[in-house]
Amino acid sequence: MGKSTISGKNRTGIDMSPIDAKEMMALVRVSPPSSAGNEQAIAERRSQYFAEAGVIGSVPPPGTLKGIASTAMEKLTGKNPEAFIDKLGCRLAFERAGVRLYDALIAKCSAAPANSIVPLDRLQDFRNEELEHFKLVENAMRSIGADPTAQTPSADVDGMASIGLVQVLTDPRTSVAHCLEAILIAELADNDAWQLLIALTEKMGMSDMARDFQNALREEDEHLAYIRQWFRQMVMEDAAVAS
Amino acid sequence: MALNLYEDKGCPLDRQRFTWKELVQPPISKLDDDAFTRVRVILMNGIEMEANRFSHACARMNRDLQLPLAQVRIVEQHQATMVNGLLGADHSTLETTVAYEQVAIEITAVVAQNEPDPYLAQVYRFGMLEDFHHLYRYSAMLDRLEGKDANNILQCYTDIVPGRPTVVEHRAPQDNLREHYHRAGAAPLTKLNALTIMSSEQQTQNFYLNVGPLYADPVARQLYAEIASIEEQHVTQYESIIDPNESWLEKWMLHEANEVYNYYGCMQQEPNPRIKAIWERCLDYELGHLQVAMDLFKQYERRDPAEILPAELPEPIKYESQREFVRRILNQEVDLRALGTQFVDKSREGDASRRYRADVNSSGSPTDTVAAGYQWLPGTELVRGKELPFNEELARDTELIR
């Protein structure tokens, strides 16, 4: 594999313009700030908004209670099903987005001429497993009367957090290693989120559902291990220190 | 200038075409390309956006011109797409914003020095000092929100210190209007300067209005809200210096000439060969558009375009740091304020602007908040107390690259 990190005319640092940088610093030293204080002023202004803010949105009520297994309803009695539905909706959205992240990674790896580390068929398997997990959570939500097509608050916030990952994976200029790092961020978060969801599902008394989720977690463990290993190998090879 | 507007007819309009692949080309490198390449990309997108806005307004007022305007406009739409697409997605919105302010400072500074009309030169210097302060405020926001150094974008070409404080830039509308040049007597360069800066500021106003809400942080949103409001004042200022008595066709011809003028300057000074070829192509197309506008001018107004446009355009805008000029103006004119169409010392500012400002700033100024105690340092303010050392030897070598 060739080097993906190269030396060139990076112009962003001050060492590229030593004379101008000194000029800039000289002016800064004699130019006091135009308003007093420090960055605490930003925190205070944010606090005012925090105090006045509403929530980012709500969890929709079940579309219909008809057809919901009475056992499921009994188990949720006395608990807060909205919090559970919110996290189910979050996992559903993340797995569905995960399919698209893998689609982008597969396209990137397919086009990378020197890619000998990441097997495409294995990526395709991971992609399909993300799809299965999406469907698994979809069915789980339906089984308790929740609408799997609704975007829950946690799903929305996870979407905000993931925007940068999509950008990295689809930018033609990023390397396979850059993209593996982005997927690694996703898989690390995903792995932790499945563990939390399983614990929550068990506490909600949904043991069958929790068992299904355990199977998904085992596959996610495998995704994480492989992505971590490929990324590590690429970084070491790029630095010419791979053993 | 070697170009002759009456002999160099460019690519005929009916032979101007693009594919989608040509419209979406690889962007410039945020890290490796020169900051002035990005300055040119942003400026030319602003020029194209104004061409589009003007063309639509003209079409709404002139039935007979609707078809030729539409024929030219779709090409300019595609030029705008191709040019604006040269900004890579690795720029955060605030980084792009810092680049917009670099455009406003460096280009306005050149124009202020080239402008033959002393009153208009003063108008440009006045606006420039306000944009200079915006750069300082946005740099503070970039540092304190995203933990990034604005100089990664500016590449040491532009200073990051306070200018005329944003909090005192808010004015009553009557203090944002200026006197206009006179179409019959003004130099061609005066007309091109006015169109260039008005286009650039209009683009900036639109950009801030659109991107402010992309930030979740209410402080960032407030910052964009406050500075967008000043940019609205700047557009008001710069459009008012253009003679409103010019006919629609005269204005159209001037727009096309201004696009030719600016693309020529870009092509002449661009070091990146791939981007230079884009400027060259756009120049060729704009010469074709100018021919269309001149023919229509002759047909409808029975006048010679040479009454308006010289054969040879003035010297192009120089794309280089205007540090010394900006510092001198900062030193001499930071305390100027506008009173009607004139500029006065801050002690003589009028009641209308003072009252307006007291109202709009009554719940505090976001720009003051963002930059409270802020001083730029290489590597962000978080390195304060342990400034990064210069590596003189390495620096001497790398300076040669530029």
Side-chain angles (χ1 to χ4, degrees), chain B residues 199-216:
Chain B
S199 303
S200 172
E201 293 290 319
Q202 177 176 259
Q203 165 184 237
T204 305
Q205 180 213 359
N206 285 334
F207 182 69
Y208 294 170
L209 273 171
N210 283 312
V211 304
L214 295 180
Y215 279 97

Side-chain angles (χ1 to χ4, degrees), chain B residues 272-283:
Chain B
N272 180 328
R274 186 172 64 82
I275 308 301
K276 189 184 181 80
I278 290 175
W279 302 140
E280 197 166 4
R281 180 177 186 181
C282 289
L283 170 63

Side-chain angles (χ1 to χ4, degrees), chain A residues 16-17 34-35 45 49, chain B residues 31-32 137 222 373 399 402:
Chain A
M16 290 297 287
S17 325
S34 58
S35 51
R45 199 168 276 254
Y49 274 90
Chain B
L31 309 181
D32 292 1
R137 297 290 163 105
Q222 280 201 347
E399 179 77 349
R402 182 173 285 161

Side-chain angles (χ1 to χ4, degrees), chain B residues 5-300:
Chain B
L5 296 184
Y6 298 101
E7 290 172 6
D8 300 313
K9 296 185 187 302
C11 178
L13 181 60
D14 61 3
R15 285 175 37 208
Q16 299 183 3
R17 49 183 68 93
F18 293 99
T19 65
W20 303 122
K21 184 89 192 307
E22 288 170 330
L23 294 192
V24 182
Q25 302 195 19
I28 62 169
S29 170
K30 181 181 106 176
L31 309 181
D32 292 1
D33 270 301
D34 189 88
F36 274 106
T37 293
R38 179 174 38 234
V39 163
R40 283 182 283 272
V41 167
I42 292 170
L43 177 66
M44 292 320 299
N45 185 57
I47 301 278
E48 290 289 359
M49 296 302 280
E50 163 58 22
N52 183 275
R53 294 292 168 271
F54 169 79
S55 176
H56 277 298
C58 186
R60 288 165 201 171
M61 302 296 287
N62 296 282
R63 179 69 186 88
D64 290 347
L65 298 180
Q66 284 180 350
L67 179 58
L69 282 166
Q71 288 166 331
V72 170
R73 198 168 55 235
I74 190 66
V75 176
E76 293 187 326
Q77 158 80 21
H78 292 157
Q79 288 177 179
T81 308
M82 181 168 66
V83 169
N84 202 32
L86 294 173
L87 290 184
D90 48 342
H91 291 84
S92 75
T93 300
L94 266 169
E95 286 179 311
T96 304
T97 298
V98 164
Y100 268 57
E101 293 299 345
Q102 186 171 38
V103 172
I105 295 160
E106 300 296 347
I107 302 301
T108 313
V110 177
V111 163
Q113 293 167 86
N114 292 347
E115 174 55 50
D117 180 323
Y119 170 76
L120 294 177
Q122 172 70 86
V123 171
Y124 294 125
R125 295 198 302 273
F126 184 78
M128 181 195 72
L129 283 192
E130 299 192 335
D131 287 318
F132 186 74
H133 193 78
H134 301 166
L135 174 64
Y136 164 71
R137 297 290 163 105
Y138 278 128
S139 297
M141 189 83 251
L142 180 66
D143 186 339
R144 292 174 168 181
L145 184 67
E146 299 182 9
K148 293 179 185 166
D149 179 354
N151 194 49
N152 291 163
I153 298 297
L154 303 171
Q155 298 177 5
C156 290
Y157 287 124
T158 312
D159 287 325
I160 310 171
V161 293
R164 180 177 303 122
T166 311
V167 68
V168 301
E169 293 172 11
H170 305 292
R171 291 177 287 273
Q174 60 266 38
D175 291 333
N176 288 318
L177 295 174
R178 307 286 170 252
E179 292 172 4
H180 63 78
Y181 66 70
H182 293 281
R183 58 195 275 247
L189 179 58
T190 290
K191 299 176 183 180
L192 300 177
N193 281 343
L195 270 179
T196 298
I197 300 301
M198 189 265 284
S199 303
S200 172
E201 293 290 319
Q202 177 176 259
Q203 165 184 237
T204 305
Q205 180 213 359
N206 285 334
F207 182 69
Y208 294 170
L209 273 171
N210 283 312
V211 304
L214 295 180
Y215 279 97
D217 179 14
V219 181
R221 285 172 164 238
Q222 280 201 347
L223 178 67
Y224 276 101
E226 184 175 2
I227 297 183
S229 177
I230 305 296
E231 302 301 347
E232 156 58 27
Q233 297 185 169
H234 285 182
V235 180
T236 298
Q237 164 172 286
Y238 291 124
E239 72 191 4
S240 71
I241 64 176
I242 297 171
D243 191 337
N245 301 306
E246 290 165 343
S247 70
W248 281 102
L249 270 165
E250 191 174 343
K251 283 184 182 296
W252 185 9
M253 233 168 38
L254 280 167
H255 273 77
E256 299 300 349
N258 192 48
E259 290 164 65
V260 168
Y261 171 67
N262 277 291
Y263 276 124
Y264 181 78
C266 291
M267 184 199 74
Q268 189 193 49
Q269 296 166 69
E270 179 60 60
N272 180 328
R274 186 172 64 82
I275 308 301
K276 189 184 181 80
I278 290 175
W279 302 140
E280 197 166 4
R281 180 177 186 181
C282 289
L283 170 63
D284 201 29
Y285 282 18
E286 290 299 345
L287 283 165
H289 301 166
L290 180 60
Q291 290 302 314
V292 172
M294 289 200 293
D295 287 346
L296 290 165
F297 183 76
K298 285 186 265 192
Q299 180 188 336
Y300 284 98

Side-chain angles (χ1 to χ4, degrees), chain B residues 324-394:
Chain B
E324 293 315 313
F325 175 76
V326 175
R327 286 182 176 194
R328 182 158 52 82
I329 301 309
L330 184 65
N331 198 33
Q332 295 169 350
E333 300 187 5
V334 72
D335 286 335
L336 287 187
R337 303 288 184 268
L339 181 62
T341 61
Q342 301 303 310
F343 301 101
V344 299
D345 183 77
K346 64 181 179 185
S347 60
R348 292 176 51 211
E349 194 178 21
D351 286 342
S353 280
R354 288 179 193 274
R355 278 199 304 274
Y356 168 71
R357 198 150 64 228
D359 282 340
V360 76
N361 290 331
S362 59
S363 66
S365 160
T367 59
D368 273 358
T369 302
V370 164
Y374 186 74
Q375 279 187 304
W376 171 79
L377 283 177
T380 79
E381 67 175 348
L382 296 178
V383 304
R384 185 172 287 133
K386 44 178 178 172
E387 279 90 344
L388 299 170
F390 278 109
N391 183 335
E392 293 279 1
E393 200 174 333
L394 175 68

